[in-house]
Amino acid sequence: GTRSAVLNTEARTVEADVLSRRCVMMRLVDFSYEQYQKALRQSAGAVVIILPRSISSVPQDVVRQFMEIEPEMLAMETIVPVYFAVEDEELLSIYEQTRAASASQGSASAAEVLLHTATANGFQMVTSGAQSKAINDWLIPSVEGRLTGLGGEDLPTVVIVAHYDSFGVAPWLSHGADSNGSGISVLLELARLFSRLYTYRRTHAGYNLLFFASGGGKFNYQGTKRWLEDNLDHTDSSLLQDNVAFVLCLDTLGRGNSLHLHVSKPPKEGTLQHAFLRELEMVVANQFPEVKFSMVHKKINLAEDMLAWEHERFAIRRLPAFTISHLESHRDSLRNSIMDRRARIDTKALTRNTQIIAEALTRVIYNLTEKGAPADMQIFTDQMQIQQEQLESVMDWLSSQPRAAQLIDKDSTFLNTLEYYMGRYLKDVKQHHVKADKRDPEFVFYDQLKQVMNAYRVKPAIFDLLLAVCIAAYLGVAYVAVQHFGLLYKMIQRLSLKTKQQ
């Protein structure tokens, strides 16, 4: 990514012949990786990428192309500052004037180029902030809450996990609607539904439910890693140390007509995780036949720097876990893009996926199939139905703000609101604040993620040169004219004198 933040250079568009030490402006609709690399190869002073007000108005092929480019931009260490700015009338006016000035440099006539260069308006782009600095101690906040089961002390525990942070090439524009606002939305709706079931003794199940909204998910699931260390290595008693039935991780559930259960090791028959897989298959087949469901088996590759899915953090610690998602591959560019906005969420698909998960989970912990419940019986209906309006409002709240890990600290309004929301339905809700392990993977966060950029209207240096030449020419003409006028005056005087003498 980019380390530098300070900017004080003249604006150009990529059409200009010379980009060295210039601020290169690009619009998203015209953006390409080749142009971006051209600017960097020519030692541009900075790059400004102009985004439209509404991402939903951008053609899908442009969105898809940019999402494919983002990982390349992030993987490349960039010395010059790279800014993203949302367009408005003034910014578009600056861009159009800059493009006209840049395009004129390719004209056939040198005189035209000189004239246009001298008369055109230029812009000096200047940031008002300081140079960015590395953040030494980055804290990862996470939130947990629980519903205690009915029965003995050694009850099995079902853990439901979703990471709340988002990711993209520009942290302040990373709203992460599907990844992973949808996962948090489903987690909160499950908390609401099961809190109602656990309120009454006759519907109080014999399972503990542990809900965990983890931080640092986009950085190798750092919050989950440190949470597991605290609960398994540094304490004598926790729900994770006792009888864990399985861990269900929720990730990217906001669209599509497919669901995939990602596992590191296929569940064995007779286990509760296998029962959950079976119930998922049955609920989909009998209640939602339009949905394509499959189990995706991928072994954990410890040689890679980044884990594929969050359940792998639990699997490494020998806890049975899986991730449910509408994505078939963890490499899908949707998971790490600033293009992952609210408009891409299909609320009906999100509601349907929530119901599928809730139905399957309920059938498992209440053992309904063994008790003879019909396969097509819907549990969450009438007063207990999934509330689509509530899911929509939660998604609106989540996707209305950037949730990049660098922006979330222990005092953030988002985190306090999330804790309050979980506290409405769960018991023992609390935050965890741990320091990131910067060796897994290696990363450094910098401050100055958002700055004010000023555009000053300036004339090019050649304008001053031409103006000086014109002034010098004018003074020269005036001087010659005065000299000639003086000579002419003397000649007239002499002629006048001779006439008088005669």
Side-chain angles (χ1 to χ4, degrees), residues 147-442:
L147 292 172
T148 306
L150 181 66
E153 294 181 359
D154 190 23
L155 293 176
T157 299
V158 173
V159 186
I160 301 171
V161 181
H163 66 87
Y164 63 75
D165 56 311
S166 56
F167 190 69
V169 70
W172 269 98
L173 298 175
S174 303
H175 290 209
D178 200 1
S179 179
N180 193 28
S182 63
I184 289 291
S185 299
V186 175
L187 180 143
L188 294 176
E189 183 66 1
L190 292 176
R192 185 187 70 82
L193 293 171
F194 283 98
S195 70
R196 293 190 65 182
L197 289 174
Y198 275 50
T199 299
Y200 306 103
R201 186 176 182 85
R202 63 187 180 88
T203 56
H204 202 155
Y207 285 85
N208 298 317
L209 297 180
L210 183 57
F211 293 83
F212 184 58
S214 62
K218 300 299 185 180
F219 291 87
N220 222 13
Y221 309 104
Q222 287 275 330
T224 299
K225 177 187 178 182
R226 300 304 301 273
W227 185 61
L228 283 169
E229 291 173 354
D230 288 347
N231 280 278
L232 298 179
D233 303 335
H234 305 145
T235 185
D236 296 330
S237 176
S238 76
L239 291 180
L240 288 177
Q241 279 189 331
D242 301 329
N243 182 11
V244 174
F246 60 82
V247 180
L248 175 61
C249 300
L250 309 169
D251 196 328
T252 49
L253 293 161
R255 55 183 308 188
N257 285 318
S258 62
L259 277 178
H260 305 281
L261 192 69
H262 296 269
V263 299
S264 302
K265 186 178 180 182
K268 295 181 180 179
E269 288 194 28
T271 61
L272 204 66
Q273 55 266 36
H274 185 269
F276 180 70
L277 169 62
R278 190 182 67 241
E279 296 291 359
L280 272 174
E281 292 173 333
M282 189 169 64
V283 168
V284 170
N286 290 278
Q287 299 181 31
F288 304 94
E290 74 279 6
V291 176
K292 176 187 174 183
F293 177 79
S294 67
M295 183 185 74
V296 180
H297 174 215
K298 178 192 171 298
K299 291 183 179 180
I300 300 174
N301 186 356
L302 296 176
E304 292 186 359
D305 292 334
M306 301 288 286
L307 296 176
W309 299 99
E310 192 158 15
H311 74 266
E312 294 183 354
R313 276 290 175 208
F314 295 90
I316 289 172
R317 301 303 298 262
R318 301 187 181 281
L319 294 174
F322 26 64
T323 297
I324 190 165
S325 169
H326 73 76
L327 299 178
E328 191 171 3
S329 171
H330 67 283
R331 300 187 187 279
D332 196 294
S333 57
L334 175 69
R335 300 182 72 201
N336 302 307
S337 176
I338 62 173
M339 296 294 149
D340 183 11
R341 297 297 183 94
R342 177 68 176 86
R344 297 180 65 85
I345 296 295
D346 182 350
T347 309
K348 290 183 178 179
L350 179 63
T351 305
R352 180 203 63 209
N353 293 340
T354 305
Q355 179 142 10
I356 291 172
I357 296 167
E359 296 276 346
L361 193 57
T362 304
R363 295 182 74 92
V364 167
I365 66 176
Y366 289 96
N367 201 20
L368 295 182
T369 300
E370 298 297 325
K371 293 177 180 178
D376 60 351
M377 182 186 76
Q378 287 197 359
I379 301 162
F380 294 97
T381 58
D382 301 327
Q383 294 181 353
M384 280 292 292
Q385 68 180 344
I386 311 295
Q387 294 185 357
Q388 181 171 323
E389 289 184 0
Q390 179 137 328
L391 279 170
E392 286 180 344
S393 64
V394 171
M395 276 303 312
D396 290 341
W397 166 62
L398 287 167
S399 57
S400 66
Q401 56 198 310
R403 301 188 316 282
Q406 302 97 309
L407 306 177
I408 307 294
D409 57 30
K410 62 181 180 179
D411 299 319
S412 75
T413 304
F414 164 76
L415 203 69
N416 292 329
T417 306
L418 179 62
E419 181 183 14
Y420 168 78
Y421 198 101
M422 292 177 67
R424 292 173 60 185
Y425 307 116
L426 307 175
K427 306 295 182 183
D428 301 327
V429 175
K430 57 185 178 182
Q431 291 188 25
H432 287 268
H433 303 103
V434 293
K435 287 186 179 181
D437 183 356
K438 297 181 181 179
R439 296 167 297 174
D440 183 22
E442 291 188 10

Side-chain angles (χ1 to χ4, degrees), residues 451-495:
Q451 289 199 5
V452 175
M453 185 183 298
N454 299 298
Y456 296 98
R457 190 187 300 273
V458 294
K459 287 290 185 182
I462 197 168
F463 173 81
D464 296 332
L465 178 61
L466 287 177
L467 184 61
V469 170
C470 291
I471 292 172
Y474 169 76
L475 292 175
V477 169
Y479 175 77
V480 171
V482 168
Q483 291 292 325
H484 280 284
F485 180 78
L487 290 172
L488 183 61
Y489 180 73
K490 287 179 180 178
M491 288 176 65
I492 292 171
Q493 277 186 328
R494 287 172 184 170
L495 285 171

